[in-house]
Amino acid sequence: MKIAILGGGHGCYAAAADFSRRGHEVSMWRRNAIVLDDLAKDACITMKDEAGEHQIAIHLMTSDIGQAVKGAELIIVPTPAFAQKDIAEKMAPYLVDGQVVYLPPGTFGSVAMLKAVRAAGNNAEVSFAETGTLPYLARKHGEQQVTISVYATRLPTGVVPTRLAPHAFAVLRRAYPSVEPIEDALSGALMNAGPIIHPPLILMNAGPLEHFPAWDIHNEGTQPSIRAVTNALDNERIAVREALGYAPSHFPLRDHYENDQWMYGDGHKKLVDSGDWREKIDLHSHRYMTEDVQYGLAFLVSVANWIGAPAPVANGLLAIASAICGRDLLMGPRTIGAMGYQNIGIAGLKARLASGEDL
């Protein structure tokens, strides 16, 4: 299968290497043409995982997004939420009927990207899908090496327009057999684990993060009191899903820590043992704040407010983050109000998600 990978982060490198090793024809796009020109001279990624070290040739590395997506059945965009709209606008002229765009994860980016493509004048029958996490726990080490500590074992995924879901899932499962269909894109957005895991970890570890040269929020930063807050926050997410009529499994985050039923199986121990997440995190610039709080947590709070569901922990964490950043993060670009759905009601939004019209 022809697969396009858009972006140059950890998940992008992991996906390009993984799919290439499995025999798919991979085109990898990055906006940084200078870095990419050097990589293209030796279009190869060194991937390390539990099976060892692999030198993997990539079919195409390009800074031409049109060249990357041409002929691709599946387009994967494992980039932060704040990059999604710009990427959608860049690829809009080139999308054609039948293509599937996958956001792992999405933060309701599937809808935001579809809106951007439509606004650019492209009405092709393209489906956008999103899941709750990256399919890999991965870290780049330089511009041609990536380490994959864990592969996802379950990827709950929603599609917009929902009417195109059968085709989308047929394509997605050829790439990721672990994909599990769920109701729609809003359901997929409310599976996103980043806004549940990371806000308590960075906000409740703010002192150590600012004091020490490096700190592992997933190791010494994950203590019982912080886990209690994470569980309470996740319970609010689950309550929002239930109020919207979405069915279990809601993939409770406690499973990530306590058993092998979550998206990464028994991945938390492997994550900690790898040591790859011991890092310096700047509370103003790191994507845990700029994506998981400013986009993801703000989105969750806005949905809760929209349907009248209590979410005191989510609101409290967002208020603390707003104080750190010096602005009201509930006024961000990925809230229900900012996306124009404040007054249409649950049934109205679900109908639009199903048809893909008037989004």
Side-chain angles (χ1 to χ4, degrees):
M1 176 164 58
K2 290 187 176 181
I3 300 176
I5 311 294
L6 306 186
H10 307 294
C12 301
Y13 271 56
D18 176 40
F19 287 128
S20 295
R21 185 173 63 159
R22 289 198 274 135
H24 297 289
E25 183 180 309
V26 172
S27 298
M28 185 177 180
W29 169 83
R30 288 187 64 174
R31 69 180 73 238
N32 190 328
I34 295 175
V35 171
L36 199 63
D37 285 344
D38 290 337
L39 291 176
K41 296 172 186 175
D42 179 20
C44 181
I45 293 175
T46 301
M47 186 183 80
K48 293 182 179 180
D49 63 7
E50 287 186 329
E53 183 172 302
H54 322 271
Q55 298 290 330
I56 300 169
I58 308 301
H59 174 73
L60 175 68
M61 290 183 170
T62 179
S63 58
D64 183 339
I65 198 168
Q67 186 181 23
V69 303
K70 183 179 181 179
E73 293 181 70
L74 178 61
I75 301 165
I76 301 180
V77 190
T79 60
F82 50 75
Q84 291 164 348
K85 185 173 182 290
D86 179 63
I87 290 174
E89 291 170 347
K90 282 181 166 58
M91 70 176 174
Y94 310 105
L95 295 176
V96 298
D97 289 353
Q99 290 182 307
V100 178
V101 181
Y102 195 37
L103 282 63
T107 322
F108 218 33
S110 58
V111 174
M113 292 186 81
L114 178 56
K115 284 166 66 79
V117 168
R118 292 287 182 264
N122 188 334
N123 293 311
E125 288 278 84
V126 177
S127 49
F128 289 77
E130 63 179 271
T131 187
T133 190
L134 275 172
Y136 321 89
L137 286 174
R139 276 293 185 265
K140 287 170 56 181
H141 296 276
E143 289 297 341
Q144 286 187 281
Q145 182 171 311
V146 64
T147 297
I148 300 177
S149 302
V150 180
Y151 292 85
T153 57
R154 304 179 69 187
L155 291 169
T157 298
V159 173
V160 60
T162 316
R163 60 183 175 79
L164 299 181
H167 169 72
F169 285 120
V171 172
L172 286 166
R173 282 174 160 167
R174 289 164 59 199
Y176 291 120
S178 53
V179 161
E180 300 182 15
I182 55 177
E183 296 92 343
D184 58 27
L186 180 56
S187 180
L190 291 170
M191 286 293 189
N192 193 349
I196 308 303
I197 295 177
H198 296 133
L201 289 180
I202 63 169
L203 296 174
M204 297 180 74
N205 282 284
L209 285 173
E210 293 187 335
H211 178 73
F212 294 109
W215 186 256
D216 190 338
I217 59 173
H218 299 287
N219 188 9
E220 59 264 27
T222 301
Q223 298 301 328
S225 59
I226 298 175
R227 279 285 315 282
V229 173
T230 303
N231 287 342
L233 176 61
D234 197 42
N235 287 339
E236 293 178 357
R237 176 190 68 88
I238 292 171
V240 167
R241 286 182 52 82
E242 291 174 338
L244 288 166
Y246 294 130
S249 169
H250 301 298
F251 285 76
L253 188 58
R254 65 175 68 245
D255 288 348
H256 177 50
Y257 299 98
E258 298 175 4
N259 57 56
D260 61 357
Q261 299 303 303
W262 201 66
M263 300 180 203
Y264 290 133
D266 59 354
H268 183 258
K269 183 178 186 303
K270 294 176 182 177
L271 181 155
V272 171
D273 289 348
S274 74
D276 274 348
W277 279 260
R278 183 170 300 283
E279 58 187 332
K280 182 65 175 179
I281 293 176
D282 183 282
L283 290 175
H284 293 270
S285 62
H286 196 280
R287 72 166 190 84
Y288 292 162
M289 180 69 84
T290 59
E291 177 181 22
D292 291 326
V293 176
Q294 295 183 19
Y295 277 69
L297 188 61
F299 173 74
L300 175 60
V301 168
S302 76
V303 175
N305 292 343
W306 177 54
I307 64 174
V313 175
N315 275 279
L317 289 168
L318 191 63
I320 293 170
S322 296
I324 291 173
C325 293
R327 62 187 186 279
D328 184 359
L329 300 182
L330 190 54
M331 303 304 291
R334 197 57 64 78
T335 63
I336 288 292
M339 296 186 73
Y341 303 137
Q342 190 69 37
N343 299 316
I344 67 173
I346 296 171
L349 178 55
K350 287 186 176 182
R352 296 187 189 190
L353 294 176
S355 68
E357 303 298 326
D358 300 319
L359 285 171

